[in-house]
Amino acid sequence: MKKGKETLAVTAKKPGRPSILKTARKHWMLLLMLLPAILYVVVFSYIPMTGIVLAFENYQYEGGIYGSPWIGLQNFKALLVSGKLGMVTRNTLLYNIAFLLLGIVFEMGSAILLNELVGKKFKKLSQSFMFLPYFISWVVAGAIMYNIFNYERGVFNHVLNMLGASSFDLYNTPGAWPFILIFLKIWKQTGYGSVVYLAAISGLDQEMFEAASIDGANAWQKIRHITIPSLIPTMMILLLMGIGNIFRGDFGLFYQTVKSSALLQPVTDVIDTYVFRLLINNSDIGVSAAAGLYQSILCFVTITICNKLVKKIDPDYALY
């Protein structure tokens, strides 16, 4: 009985959780430092979300965003009737799955290979060459491609003609473009993406590698049993972040390299380029907004489902 009273007395003396105001007063300097980031997110991410109403309006310049007539789901109906929504959704999804999976393989692989290089100068030079494509804009990449593969004046066709072969018209061959677009994306993002994996590798405990060397493990065994398993948490975070944008296409890649070729659209058109053409060619702001909202909902649902699945398998790998 005495013991129970002592326990109650100790419990009663325990201080309660500090109020939000007390915490804010105590850490006001940290909150002040956080304020610019909060303002940035509010101004550029949350306030623009009010423009979603355009998807449910027949936009008119006189009425503006909030004064145009309300038409409900008519813009979404127009999207479905167009017959292209399924095609561009399929293309966006399949391309992004290829970009994600191949991106992980090439980014992680190149980071591991760079880490295994012994010469510091050669290592830095290799990393610089890998990083260089990231700084080349898609406009420049598209222009280079056009000058190489142009049917009449392209370098590639000149070489073929010199060898006695007939010219190859790439811009009229839809079947070749999925491979070209995947190659270009991997070429451009591998150097940049490998930086994250290199940072993760440099943070690994070197004693594990030393112990493995003492036990007689070779370089491949250390990569297989130490490096790759240690990179899985980083890979999962990057994968989940990529899944969050799995229905968003790289507009620069799909527009600047393909241009506006109607023949190539069935295999190269994605939601982003479809929305752009709706807006530019048809000036249909309402339907364009509806397509953008449809895209955002798909991304939100996908990342939520994937995050829940990951949370059930291993909560440590979940984003939230």
Side-chain angles (χ1 to χ4, degrees), residues 136-146 171 184 187-188 256-257:
I136 299 173
S137 71
W138 285 121
V139 179
V140 176
I144 292 169
M145 269 206 62
Y146 185 77
Y171 289 89
L184 287 172
W187 166 74
K188 201 169 189 298
Q256 295 297 340
T257 54

Side-chain angles (χ1 to χ4, degrees), residues 21-313:
L21 286 173
K22 282 184 179 178
T23 306
R25 284 173 189 167
K26 186 178 179 182
H27 302 290
W28 68 272
M29 187 64 76
L30 294 174
L31 291 171
L32 189 65
M33 291 169 66
L34 189 63
L35 187 61
I38 294 170
L39 287 174
Y40 179 85
V41 172
V42 169
V43 172
F44 293 102
S45 297
Y46 283 96
I47 293 176
M49 284 175 69
T50 58
I52 286 171
V53 294
L54 283 170
F56 307 94
E57 292 178 346
N58 180 19
Y59 181 76
Q60 295 175 358
Y61 290 100
E62 297 81 12
I65 295 176
Y66 307 108
S68 296
W70 188 268
I71 57 170
L73 299 174
Q74 290 300 313
N75 288 325
F76 294 93
K77 187 178 177 182
L79 269 180
L80 291 171
V81 169
S82 70
K84 290 188 175 180
L85 192 61
M87 179 194 72
V88 295
T89 304
R90 181 202 65 208
N91 288 347
T92 309
L93 179 63
L94 293 177
Y95 275 119
N96 278 321
I97 288 172
F99 294 160
L100 270 175
L101 297 180
L102 291 174
I104 286 169
V105 172
F106 280 91
E107 288 165 18
M108 188 188 290
S110 58
I112 291 168
L113 288 174
L114 283 171
N115 185 63
E116 292 298 318
L117 291 176
V118 178
K120 285 185 178 180
K121 287 185 179 179
F122 182 70
K123 185 177 179 178
K124 287 181 179 178
L125 188 66
S126 302
Q127 192 173 356
S128 299
F129 273 110
M130 285 177 62
F131 211 92
L132 185 63
Y134 178 75
F135 295 103
I136 299 173
S137 71
W138 285 121
V139 179
V140 176
I144 292 169
M145 269 206 62
Y146 185 77
N147 282 291
I148 292 173
F149 294 105
N150 181 268
Y151 184 72
E152 295 175 355
R153 299 178 299 277
V155 175
F156 181 70
N157 283 323
H158 273 298
V159 173
L160 286 179
N161 293 335
M162 285 171 62
L163 296 172
S166 57
S167 298
F168 176 67
D169 193 356
L170 179 66
Y171 289 89
N172 283 317
T173 311
W177 279 92
F179 302 100
I180 291 168
L181 292 171
I182 290 168
F183 169 78
L184 287 172
K185 182 68 175 178
I186 299 302
W187 166 74
K188 201 169 189 298
Q189 77 173 25
T190 297
Y192 181 78
S194 65
V195 172
V196 180
Y197 290 105
L198 272 172
I201 291 170
S202 63
L204 297 178
D205 188 0
Q206 295 302 311
E207 289 181 2
M208 294 189 296
F209 294 97
E210 290 170 8
S213 298
I214 291 167
D215 290 338
N218 57 33
W220 167 243
Q221 288 171 330
K222 284 187 278 185
I223 289 168
R224 184 182 172 186
H225 297 289
I226 300 174
T227 308
I228 293 175
S230 300
L231 290 177
I232 288 175
T234 305
M235 183 197 74
M236 289 302 299
I237 291 169
L238 293 175
L239 181 63
L240 283 172
M241 290 174 71
I243 287 171
N245 289 316
I246 203 163
F247 286 100
R248 294 193 184 280
D250 189 333
F251 178 80
L253 168 64
F254 289 99
Y255 184 75
Q256 295 297 340
T257 54
V258 180
K259 306 299 182 187
S260 298
S261 174
L263 180 66
L264 301 178
Q265 281 178 15
V267 293
T268 61
D269 209 14
V270 292
I271 298 174
D272 300 77
T273 52
Y274 177 58
V275 172
F276 178 77
R277 280 200 316 279
L278 278 173
L279 192 60
I280 298 301
N281 298 340
N282 304 337
S283 299
D284 203 333
I285 294 172
V287 177
S288 301
L293 180 57
Y294 161 78
Q295 184 183 35
S296 299
I297 290 169
L298 283 178
C299 290
F300 176 74
V301 170
T302 307
I303 187 62
T304 304
I305 292 169
C306 290
N307 192 68
K308 281 188 176 180
L309 290 173
V310 170
K311 209 169 187 177
K312 283 184 179 180
I313 297 166

